[in-house]
Structure formats: C-alpha cells, structure tokens
Amino acid sequence: MSLVIYNSLTRKKETFVPLTQGYVGLYVCGPTVSGESHLGHARPYVTFDVVYRYLTHLGNKVRYVRNITDAGHFEEEGREAEDKISKKATLEKLEPMELVQKYTNLFHWAMLQMNNVEPSIEPTATGHIVEQINMIETIIKDGYAYVVNGSVYFDVEKYHADFSKKGLPYGILSGRVLEDMLETTRELDNQEEKRNRADFALWKNAPPEHIMRWKSPWGEGFPGWHIECSAMSTKYLGDEFDIHGGGMDLQFPHHECEIAQSAVCNHKSPARYWMHNNMITINGRKMGKSYNNVIKLSELFSGNHPILEQAYHPMTIRFFILQTHYRSTLDFSNEALQASEKGLKRLWEAYENLGKLPVTNNQQPVTSNLKPVTELDETVLKLLNELDEFMNDDFSTAKVLANIFELVPTINALKNKQLAADALSNDVIVFMQQKLKLFIEDILGLKFENSGGEHLDGVLQLLINIRKEAKTKKDFVTSDKIRNELSAMGIQLKDEKDGSVSWSI
RNA sequence: GGUCCUGUGGCCGAGUGGCUAGGCAGAGCUCUGCAAAAGCUUCUACAGCGGUUCGAAUCCGCUCGGGACCUCCA
C-alpha cells in the first residue's frame, strides 16, 4: 500500500516515488504579504500542512519550503505598472518593510492559530534578489529573454518552439495551447515593450516613484511575478524536486511560467508532482479580492464581519477544510461552519471518552495485525486500518474523518456502558487510542484546547457537589438553578450513567 | 470566445459500475426526578433526456444550470 498523489501535470493519480528514497522536497507558494490573509488563504496552508505531516509520518525527511512574497508585483498589466506594496505604503504612510512585517506577523499568527507546522525554510523574495538576477542573466544568455528599456521579458514563443521538442511545451501544466492564446488578441495597453502577448516580465524597470528597487545589470528595478519561486525552489530544493503545491488559480500563469524559467536554467522541469488545491467559495463564487467577498481570518476568529453570525474557532475552520477533499471546491456558509463546529465538538468528546476507557497495557505499541476476538473488534479494526488507505489515496481527509465518526457511537456506548465492557478487546481499545491520536492530532493536526484550566474545574467541582447534595435532598429547585445558570453562561453539566457529573463548554 | 472543472437528500459534503459514506438539522424510542448528553431506529438523493451494460450517482452523448482559468489572485 503506497501513497498515490493526483498530479496536475499528468492529470492522473500516480504512485508517489521520491527522487531520493526517504527524502522529500516540498515547495508551496506562500502568501503575498501586502494584505491580511483571508479564509481562502487558509486552504492551501492547511492542505499542505497535512501533506507535510503525512509524508513525515511515512518516515520521510521532508524539507518544506514556503516562500513569503514581499516584493512588488504588478497591480494590473493594462494600467501603469505599480508595486502593490509600495502603493499601499504611500497610502498608509508606512515604510514598505513595515507593512511587509505587519502582514507577515499577522500571517504567522493565523498559521499558529490553525495549528499549521512551520515550514522548514520560509524564504523571502526580497532576500533572494541576487539569485533572481542570476537566473534572469542565464535566461538572457541562452536567448530566451530580451531587454527593453530596463525591463526583461521572457520569450515564450521561442521557448515553446525549442522546448516542445524536449517534451516541455509552454502549456504543459495548464493544458493551454500557445497558438490559441496568441490568437485571442485582446487589446491591452502598455504591451508595446513585449514582443508577444504571451511573454511575461522577469524584471521590471522601476519608475522614479517606486520605493522598492534594486540595482541590476538592466538598471534599477524589481523582479517579475514568477522568478522568485523558481529561484528559491532551485536554491533550497535543487534543480528537480518532488512536490510543488499551491492554489489552482496559480496553475496558470504562475506555475506554467515557473516551469519555463526553470527548464531554461536547469534543463528540466522543476517538480515531478504538482498539487493544486481548489478554491473556497462564498455563495458559489471564489473568495478573492477582485470579487470583494473576502472574510479575513482574524474576522472569522472574532466573528467581526457582517456576514458572520458568530465567531469561529480556528480548529473549526481547520476541521471544515479537512471535511472535504482538497481538490473540490468548498462553499462557505454560516450553516456549514456551524455544522462543523458541532461535529468537531462531538468528535472531541468522544476522543476524550476514548482516552478515559479503562485499559491495561496501554504503554505497549499495538500493531495493526491484531486478531479480532469479538464481532465488534472486527468492525473497529476495519475502520481503523482503512485510515491509512484513505490517506494514501491522495490525502482523502474527508474519508478519514467519516471513519472516525463511525467509531464515535462505539466509543460513547462503551463509556456509558450501553455496550458491555468486553464487547471490545482490550488490545483493540489500546490500538484505537493510539491510532486516533496519531490521525487526529499528528496527521490531521487537530488540536484540542481545554479552556478554563485547573481553577475553573475546581470551582465547577464545588458547584457540582452542592448540586449533588441538593439532589439527594430532592431539592430540585436548587439543583436545577445551578445547572440552568451555568448553562446560560455556556457551561453544560451532564449527569452520567454512573452517577458522576461532567461538564463541557 | 478559448481551455477545463462541476451539478448528490433541508444544508454541507464522500463516493473505485452491483453492497445505506460521514457531519449538521428533523422524527420516534431507551436511559433520566426533569433536562442535557449518549445509544438505538428512521424519513428526505444522485440536474434532465437518451445510450452502453445483466446492472450506472459512477462510463458515453446531448440539453440545462453553476464555477475556475485565460489579468493580481491561495
């Protein structure tokens, strides 16, 4: 049973074989820190966090590189080219790097809230200007780029003509046909510098008002959109690496251009497996700046947005994302998120209950080769062993969660003694404890935070005891008062079967 | 216009041609001083029309609807 990944490059599921056994190079396109991250941004980072966690779990040493784009891109090709970051800096009267720092910090904060593991290397575009210039020089030297007025453009047509023969036509990733693209000549202004409509900028000459600028062989300017990823992935992962990930909207032109740049410089396609996550939509529409329908992560966590009916915990968002397959669109709505919130709560309670089931020998690691003794053993073992299969099948987190949910009734019934204690063998319970911890916490990265802490629990135990005394005296007025008023504060008391009382928020 | 994806029950979403995914919501029952929780049972599906097949949500075609990319975008 081996890991199978859907490769956007071949449009097929393929068995994953790393270039070097036991080592995996993973590059994921990071955020542009000219603004705050929104819900849509959460998706790739959660998706690839799970990819990273799972590859690591499989025993690989993974180098996970996720860049920070802190150098300017073009706002809009048709209009005056301007550096997004420097433009906003002028408006806010901030230093560009101050703005970059602010949004980088906010991004890191959001990633931490979502319990995403930090990447191994998080390189910045501004920190790799030299590497980018070097790469551009190579491309010019090889004849695949030309200089006009201090800007450098990639010659797509020439590249396509030469590299098609080598099996790397321009459009190999996105399925686009260059000839078609050249025909659809949409009128665009300020295109006169380019020889061809499909050409893209490697370096842009900086107009005098530009704050972010670097010296280059072609004058002062700043790097083009795509070159940073090529430069940084090459530097940290080599000419050829295993997996390149990002949002589907980056497939073209960003990733297509990366392939072309790297192919010229390194004589091969940079990544062997390309993975693209689908979009988060809102009312069926992609969430994005251009649509003016974004909900920032900080707003989601605080509930401070007109669309939001309430605040949503970062783990609810993570769970919400994992409940669907990463290649499907995911539609946001309050209803959907509230369903996730309740589902996650149910999962946590069962998970807690599982941890409390009385077992012996729970320190011993139990293998999946357990022999089922009872009928229930067989069902449970089947559900547990399928978890690996699902993850191996292109990271089907939705199915993993579905199976875990199928275990919930069994766990709860054992805890409430609705099932006989021996319905499930001790070893199977231990195995389930170990396996669910592995999948829920380590692989899916769901983190349970017990709010309140020791003090609150002490206070509640006091109230629970007072209520118990009242109940013994059949003073239900007092007992109900305690329960109802706690409930109004959001704390639920539950009378358990064995006479004990538990609480949850 | 070009390229591609998609249409599943009240909502969200898995689905490899035959065997009820799962979550949320609804109904009934059990437990309980009452409640909550939990357990058990249960109702709502595969956009439409054809075709292939012994058999299709799953493959093919057409129609209708939705979306993405082609411009910064996760």
Side-chain angles (χ1 to χ4, degrees), chain A residues 109-129:
Chain A
W109 168 79
M111 291 301 102
L112 190 69
Q113 296 293 305
M114 312 267 308
N115 201 31
N116 285 332
V117 177
E118 289 166 8
S120 328
I121 301 176
E122 195 173 49
T124 60
T126 55
H128 296 76
I129 298 292

Side-chain angles (χ1 to χ4, degrees), chain A residues 364-378:
Chain A
Q364 300 288 324
V366 183
T367 70
S368 52
N369 301 325
L370 275 178
K371 288 272 174 294
V373 178
T374 68
E375 206 176 312
L376 197 56
D377 281 352
E378 208 170 319

Side-chain angles (χ1 to χ4, degrees), chain A residues 461-478:
Chain A
Q461 287 310 327
L462 177 67
L463 285 168
I464 286 168
N465 287 338
I466 295 173
R467 177 164 167 270
K468 212 178 265 176
E469 284 165 26
K471 274 174 70 178
T472 321
K473 294 180 209 152
K474 300 245 187 268
D475 177 7
F476 295 122
V477 176
T478 305

Side-chain angles (χ1 to χ4, degrees), chain A residues 97-218:
Chain A
M97 284 317 285
E98 189 179 352
L99 203 63
V100 161
Q101 186 73 58
K102 176 181 160 188
Y103 290 123
T104 301
N105 290 345
L106 270 169
F107 173 71
H108 285 153
W109 168 79
M111 291 301 102
L112 190 69
Q113 296 293 305
M114 312 267 308
N115 201 31
N116 285 332
V117 177
E118 289 166 8
S120 328
I121 301 176
E122 195 173 49
T124 60
T126 55
H128 296 76
I129 298 292
V130 173
E131 287 83 352
Q132 295 178 70
I133 290 174
N134 289 344
M135 214 163 174
I136 296 168
E137 284 185 307
T138 306
I139 298 172
I140 295 174
K141 184 164 62 66
D142 283 10
Y144 293 100
Y146 53 92
V147 184
V148 184
N149 302 330
S151 294
V152 185
Y153 295 97
F154 190 95
D155 188 339
V156 172
E157 208 169 17
K158 183 171 189 317
Y159 168 84
H160 182 67
D162 293 352
F163 279 76
S164 287
K165 297 169 200 155
K166 300 177 185 174
L168 285 172
Y170 188 78
I172 188 172
L173 178 66
S174 56
R176 237 150 271 259
V177 179
L178 183 62
E179 288 75 19
D180 293 350
M181 291 172 58
L182 297 174
E183 271 170 33
T184 29
T185 40
R186 207 165 37 164
E187 278 308 313
L188 288 167
D189 301 328
N190 262 359
Q191 291 275 323
E192 62 274 8
E193 285 190 347
K194 291 187 190 177
R195 286 183 195 164
N196 222 312
R197 184 186 127 61
D199 292 354
F200 56 91
L202 294 169
W203 187 266
K204 262 310 229 188
N205 176 47
E209 67 273 17
H210 244 262
I211 304 168
M212 279 197 160
R213 56 200 303 136
W214 291 268
K215 275 189 188 151
S216 80
W218 320 285

Side-chain angles (χ1 to χ4, degrees), chain A residues 16 34 199 279 324 341 351-352 402 413 436 455:
Chain A
F16 177 69
S34 61
D199 292 354
M279 302 291 104
T324 172
E341 184 179 87
Y351 184 58
E352 270 198 302
L436 290 196
H455 288 305

Side-chain angles (χ1 to χ4, degrees), chain A residues 334-345:
Chain A
N334 279 286
E335 219 181 346
L337 236 57
Q338 282 159 13
S340 289
E341 184 179 87
K342 286 179 191 164
L344 182 60
K345 188 176 183 226

Side-chain angles (χ1 to χ4, degrees), chain A residues 129-392:
Chain A
I129 298 292
V130 173
E131 287 83 352
Q132 295 178 70
I133 290 174
N134 289 344
M135 214 163 174
I136 296 168
E137 284 185 307
T138 306
I139 298 172
I140 295 174
K141 184 164 62 66
D142 283 10
Y144 293 100
Y146 53 92
V147 184
V148 184
N149 302 330
S151 294
V152 185
Y153 295 97
F154 190 95
D155 188 339
V156 172
E157 208 169 17
K158 183 171 189 317
Y159 168 84
H160 182 67
D162 293 352
F163 279 76
S164 287
K165 297 169 200 155
K166 300 177 185 174
L168 285 172
Y170 188 78
I172 188 172
L173 178 66
S174 56
R176 237 150 271 259
V177 179
L178 183 62
E179 288 75 19
D180 293 350
M181 291 172 58
L182 297 174
E183 271 170 33
T184 29
T185 40
R186 207 165 37 164
E187 278 308 313
L188 288 167
D189 301 328
N190 262 359
Q191 291 275 323
E192 62 274 8
E193 285 190 347
K194 291 187 190 177
R195 286 183 195 164
N196 222 312
R197 184 186 127 61
D199 292 354
F200 56 91
L202 294 169
W203 187 266
K204 262 310 229 188
N205 176 47
E209 67 273 17
H210 244 262
I211 304 168
M212 279 197 160
R213 56 200 303 136
W214 291 268
K215 275 189 188 151
S216 80
W218 320 285
E220 285 198 7
F222 53 94
W225 325 331
H226 317 300
I227 196 72
E228 56 172 284
C229 286
S230 289
M232 296 189 287
S233 64
T234 303
K235 175 162 183 174
Y236 297 113
L237 297 173
D239 293 351
E240 192 181 18
F241 55 93
D242 298 297
I243 304 174
H244 190 126
M248 248 175 201
D249 48 357
L250 295 182
Q251 198 168 354
F252 189 89
H254 186 59
H255 292 157
E256 194 70 62
C257 295
E258 270 188 68
I259 291 178
Q261 292 163 347
S262 294
V264 170
C265 293
N266 305 326
H267 313 291
K268 50 181 83 160
S269 179
R272 305 179 79 203
Y273 302 85
W274 287 81
M275 293 178 66
H276 292 97
N277 63 274
N278 215 319
M279 302 291 104
I280 289 187
T281 59
I282 175 161
N283 297 321
R285 211 167 198 134
K286 174 183 168 185
M287 186 177 284
K289 282 186 292 250
S290 349
Y291 297 119
N292 239 329
N293 60 359
V294 302
I295 305 174
K296 293 172 186 163
L297 287 171
S298 60
E299 293 168 338
L300 222 35
F301 299 163
S302 69
N304 188 20
H305 188 285
I307 295 172
L308 299 176
E309 288 168 11
Q310 61 166 92
Y312 297 99
H313 193 278
M315 276 310 113
T316 303
I317 312 286
R318 189 178 180 97
F319 179 77
F320 174 64
I321 290 172
L322 294 176
Q323 255 185 317
T324 172
H325 191 264
Y326 74 90
R327 282 188 287 114
S328 303
T329 54
L330 173 58
D331 199 55
F332 163 89
S333 68
N334 279 286
E335 219 181 346
L337 236 57
Q338 282 159 13
S340 289
E341 184 179 87
K342 286 179 191 164
L344 182 60
K345 188 176 183 226
R346 180 169 149 83
L347 179 65
W348 279 131
E349 290 186 357
Y351 184 58
E352 270 198 302
N353 291 339
L354 175 65
K356 289 179 189 159
L357 289 181
V359 286
T360 54
N361 266 340
N362 64 347
Q363 298 310 314
Q364 300 288 324
V366 183
T367 70
S368 52
N369 301 325
L370 275 178
K371 288 272 174 294
V373 178
T374 68
E375 206 176 312
L376 197 56
D377 281 352
E378 208 170 319
T379 314
V380 168
L381 284 174
K382 181 170 180 287
L383 288 168
L384 289 173
N385 287 325
E386 277 174 348
L387 299 182
D388 302 280
E389 282 173 41
F390 294 158
M391 282 307 285
N392 280 334

